[in-house]
Amino acid sequence: MEEWEKSVTYAEEVINQYDYDILDLNTIAEPNPYNSPAYMNYYTWSNPEVIFLFGNQADVCELPLTRITCVEESKPGQINYKSYVPVIASESLINTFDKNDLRKTHYLIWEEIDYNGTPVYRQPTSKYDVQRRYKIEYRYERGVWGTAFKVTEAYLNAAEAAAMLYKENNQSEYRTKAQTLIDALRIKRFSQTTYKPTTISEGEQLVSFIRDERRRELCFENHRWFDLRRYGMEEIKHTWYDTSGEPIEYILEKNDPGFTLQLPNETFEHNSSLVQNEPRK
């Protein structure tokens, strides 16, 4: 809502008046394909960042981890069946992590591999309990949580709001506050030998840096779409390949009404006062 001062006030209230803390990734073992679990599950009450857990892991993971099987004829009369995950982590997300950022190895989950394979960061989920060989076995039972409200979001909210106030008013105390808040998070995301405090002084660059931090820290936690909307709904392009391998480019234009989905018809049966969202161009 761009009410930056209120954003700082209420986010700092969450940070300072409650007993939550940022988990230090230096204390977490590196993922290992031969351990079970291979990755830590961050959606548990033992995580000091967690404010509230909700949803079920299977509800969140089932769609992005759905595999499709394709039939391929490698040579006349020889049929091969190959299984693919059509939803993958974007290269732009993967490449935004610094090589020394502990989140790259702790948050980005390697693809399931055979014992002689080389893993790559393509799994479109994050921060879950992952079994041997990086296999995610999402479950439906109670207590296996899908996502959470965490105190890290409060740090990012307050830091971005302070950076926006600095950008708009050029008051140095807001720059200091933004840097202090984002560094409270970053110092626990890098090893002590590679961590460097934030020194950005230009307002727009500081805002952009904090938003990139938000993307890294909250990856796959259902924030990105809403963030892209409030950042100005810039044009998005996506290339899809058909069965013959031909690329098809889909474009969501800047400020396209498609940034907001149409309401399902059944909602109007329950509330006739609703107004349908504008359709796509």
Side-chain angles (χ1 to χ4, degrees), residues 94-195:
I94 297 168
N95 293 335
T96 193
F97 288 90
D98 184 275
K99 65 178 181 179
N100 296 312
D101 193 331
L102 297 175
R103 290 171 295 194
K104 185 169 186 177
T105 53
H106 285 82
Y107 288 2
L108 299 184
I109 301 172
W110 288 351
E111 276 191 309
E112 183 183 358
I113 58 170
D114 59 33
Y115 289 109
N116 297 316
T118 301
V120 292
Y121 296 117
R122 286 163 47 102
Q123 295 275 29
T125 55
S126 182
K127 309 177 184 78
Y128 288 107
D129 184 2
V130 181
Q131 302 306 310
R132 286 173 59 88
R133 298 171 59 197
Y134 309 127
K135 185 177 182 181
I136 300 179
E137 295 180 348
Y138 52 84
R139 294 170 289 169
Y140 288 91
E141 61 258 37
R142 294 174 60 186
V144 183
W145 302 100
T147 189
F149 294 132
K150 297 186 298 181
V151 73
T152 47
E153 184 186 352
Y155 280 89
L156 291 159
N157 288 354
E160 182 182 342
M164 288 297 298
L165 288 167
Y166 170 61
K167 174 186 171 183
E168 293 176 354
N169 304 316
N170 200 33
Q171 294 176 279
S172 60
E173 64 264 30
Y174 287 123
R175 181 191 67 202
T176 301
K177 181 180 286 290
Q179 292 174 339
T180 299
L181 286 160
I182 202 64
D183 283 345
L185 174 65
R186 285 172 50 79
I187 198 171
K188 296 187 178 182
R189 300 301 185 244
F190 290 79
S191 68
Q192 293 181 350
T193 58
T194 61
Y195 167 74

